[in-house]
Amino acid sequence: MAQPLPAIDKKLRTKIESILDKVETIKVRLVSLMGMTHSQDDFGIYIKNIGSEIEKFLKDAVFQNSYNNLNFYNLIEKLRDEGITESTIGNLHELRNYYNSLKHDPSFSTTITEAESKIKKTSDALIEIDSESIGNINSVYIQNTNRILWLCAWDDYIGGMTELNLFLPNYEIDFPYSVEYFNITLEGWDTLKEKYVPTGQLQLGKEFISEKAYNVWSKSADMIGVGRFSGDVRGLIRTLSSLVNKERESALLENLKRKNDSFSVIASIAYAIQDTLLNNNWTDFIDLKDEIRLRMDFDYGIDIDSKVLDFYINKIEKNMISYDRNKLKNIDEILWLNNEQFSKLVVEVQIMNKPSIILTNLNKLAVKMN
């Protein structure tokens, strides 16, 4: 018998917390790259994307869309009116110049240590902006939506990791759709439980999933736990991403890495599309795709260098941006459907094709699970 759902903690990340999280993520990525063979393109992509993100942050969060006609340079200069110090303004200009050189000058040459220095100064600048509480930097980053997922964990002692899969609930079939999987550290399972079980968001035990699914999953002697997650999947995925053993995962065959797993990328792109449309801060089609890409990386843990990510991003239909933005920004749910269920829907907007992602006439985002 299904158990009643727990109360969910609805504390949301603020816009300043989100941008600081993104900068911190880049710091970690740059340090990770330093120990490997890398090219300028490998680390330059992070600078180019965060530069664009900070420009949008200034327009939206700091100046509350009052100066959308200003370019990046003038937005930074305008910070003087908010009492921001010359040191912070200088740090942001350094990032802007570096970002523009990487983006527009094919002959520009730099090093990863210089990139790390620019990101460190950017972090310092954002910390000062945070301390001043200007604009609406403390308003919520996006409107989070709660979702329910099943999960199962198996220990891979030889590989030194725990494989954790997230599934769409389905009581009718033996093999529920797996939309996400992570190779986390062996200690990560306990970390996950310590974080989510006390809040009631993670309920462990076979009574929280279907008997059919449990019978299949439990055939593996390495299964260490099953349960149901109820809450903000964004926070869950961010937590799981932080628990991934990057060194061990990098040694896996390419098709076993999460960034190359089609189901994980499709799930992440659906979440990121909804988040981007809800945020309603994009200016054109390129800007829309850039924000979706950033959210997939920063919020849903799909590395920005993923070729599968690139493949699906380029399938987004350009015509969708001509649709009513008021409806796009009010998508209230994602439906995960099989072919038969999907065929019964009324298509309002085709967002992607193969995989098919649509906006329905009831303002739902629907994903066809093949």
Side-chain angles (χ1 to χ4, degrees):
M1 179 177 176
Q3 300 294 313
L5 296 180
I8 301 301
D9 178 6
K10 296 190 176 181
K11 183 182 183 300
L12 308 181
R13 276 192 306 157
T14 63
K15 292 181 178 182
I16 186 63
E17 287 172 339
S18 171
I19 196 73
L20 282 167
D21 281 349
K22 291 175 182 180
V23 172
E24 187 60 33
T25 298
I26 288 179
K27 285 186 194 176
V28 173
R29 298 271 170 83
L30 292 178
V31 170
S32 178
L33 275 174
M34 286 178 182
M36 309 181 208
T37 301
H38 59 265
S39 68
Q40 183 167 303
D41 287 343
D42 291 331
F43 63 84
I45 191 169
Y46 293 112
I47 306 298
K48 287 186 276 188
N49 280 285
I50 200 60
S52 173
E53 189 77 354
I54 287 175
E55 182 176 1
K56 287 194 290 186
F57 169 77
L58 292 177
K59 286 181 178 179
D60 171 52
V62 174
F63 297 117
Q64 303 175 76
N65 297 307
S66 297
Y67 301 110
N68 286 349
N69 59 319
L70 297 184
N71 60 23
F72 200 178
Y73 173 87
N74 288 317
L75 287 167
I76 295 171
E77 288 291 296
K78 200 75 180 167
L79 288 170
R80 289 191 180 88
D81 297 343
E82 304 295 330
I84 299 302
T85 64
E86 290 299 319
S87 174
T88 282
I89 290 170
N91 285 345
L92 290 174
H93 275 312
E94 278 195 40
L95 174 73
R96 179 186 58 81
N97 288 326
Y98 194 61
Y99 152 74
N100 282 332
S101 296
L102 280 164
K103 190 172 184 179
H104 302 298
D105 183 358
S107 66
F108 181 69
S109 179
T110 184
T111 65
I112 196 168
T113 54
E114 189 171 0
E116 182 188 34
S117 172
K118 303 302 183 195
I119 291 299
K120 172 64 170 62
K121 290 181 178 181
T122 300
S123 178
D124 292 342
L126 291 171
I127 288 169
E128 182 186 339
I129 290 173
D130 185 18
S131 70
E132 295 296 326
S133 297
I134 56 180
N136 65 357
I137 65 172
N138 290 311
S139 62
V140 295
Y141 170 53
I142 48 175
Q143 178 65 43
N144 281 2
T145 52
N146 294 327
R147 300 183 174 96
I148 298 173
L149 296 172
W150 290 348
L151 59 83
C152 185
W154 296 267
D155 266 349
D156 174 11
Y157 292 106
I158 296 176
M161 296 179 288
T162 294
E163 180 182 335
L164 191 143
N165 284 48
L166 302 177
F167 301 88
L168 299 176
N170 191 321
Y171 285 87
E172 304 301 321
I173 59 179
D174 293 336
F175 299 95
Y177 288 116
S178 171
V179 292
E180 291 279 7
Y181 82 92
F182 297 82
N183 295 300
I184 63 176
T185 63
L186 291 174
E187 302 80 14
W189 177 240
D190 287 333
T191 302
L192 190 72
K193 291 190 293 184
E194 288 167 6
K195 179 169 183 176
Y196 288 112
V197 170
T199 69
Q201 291 173 282
L202 178 57
Q203 297 170 296
L204 296 176
K206 64 181 183 180
E207 66 269 26
F208 297 108
I209 63 172
S210 72
E211 184 177 353
K212 289 182 178 181
Y214 182 78
N215 288 339
V216 171
W217 298 341
S218 62
K219 287 180 180 178
S220 169
D222 296 327
M223 189 189 81
I224 59 172
V226 298
R228 176 175 66 193
F229 177 82
S230 315
D232 174 28
V233 74
R234 177 181 306 99
L236 174 65
I237 290 175
R238 286 182 65 85
T239 297
L240 290 170
S241 296
S242 72
L243 298 174
V244 168
N245 186 323
K246 291 289 187 182
E247 182 180 354
R248 291 186 182 276
E249 188 175 58
S250 67
L252 293 173
L253 296 173
E254 285 300 310
N255 65 320
L256 297 179
K257 295 178 181 178
R258 182 169 173 270
K259 69 177 183 179
N260 297 325
D261 179 73
S262 289
F263 282 119
S264 290
V265 175
I266 290 168
S268 297
I269 202 171
Y271 295 141
I273 286 171
Q274 185 191 24
D275 294 346
T276 300
L277 295 177
L278 284 170
N279 195 44
N280 194 32
N281 197 37
W282 48 276
T283 56
D284 55 29
F285 186 58
I286 293 175
D287 192 42
L288 176 88
K289 291 204 299 183
D290 283 346
E291 184 172 341
I292 291 169
R293 185 190 304 275
L294 279 166
R295 290 180 182 278
M296 289 179 71
D297 185 13
F298 292 123
D299 290 339
Y300 295 107
I302 301 294
D303 289 355
I304 207 165
D305 64 351
S306 163
K307 290 182 173 57
V308 181
L309 183 158
D310 269 342
F311 177 76
Y312 287 126
I313 282 281
N314 290 323
K315 283 179 165 286
I316 297 175
E317 300 279 352
K318 184 174 184 178
N319 290 339
M320 66 166 285
I321 66 170
S322 61
Y323 190 67
D324 184 350
R325 285 184 73 143
N326 285 324
K327 290 188 176 180
L328 290 176
K329 73 177 184 181
N330 286 304
I331 296 172
D332 61 0
E333 188 179 3
I334 298 179
L335 307 174
W336 307 88
L337 306 173
N338 60 33
N339 289 338
E340 182 181 358
Q341 294 167 323
F342 193 87
S343 66
K344 297 176 182 178
L345 300 176
V346 177
V347 180
E348 194 78 10
V349 179
Q350 186 78 41
I351 293 176
M352 289 180 66
N353 191 22
K354 294 182 180 179
S356 291
I357 300 179
I358 64 169
L359 175 66
T360 75
N361 62 322
L362 299 176
N363 238 51
K364 314 286 185 185
L365 204 66
V367 183
K368 182 166 71 172
M369 304 294 292
N370 292 321

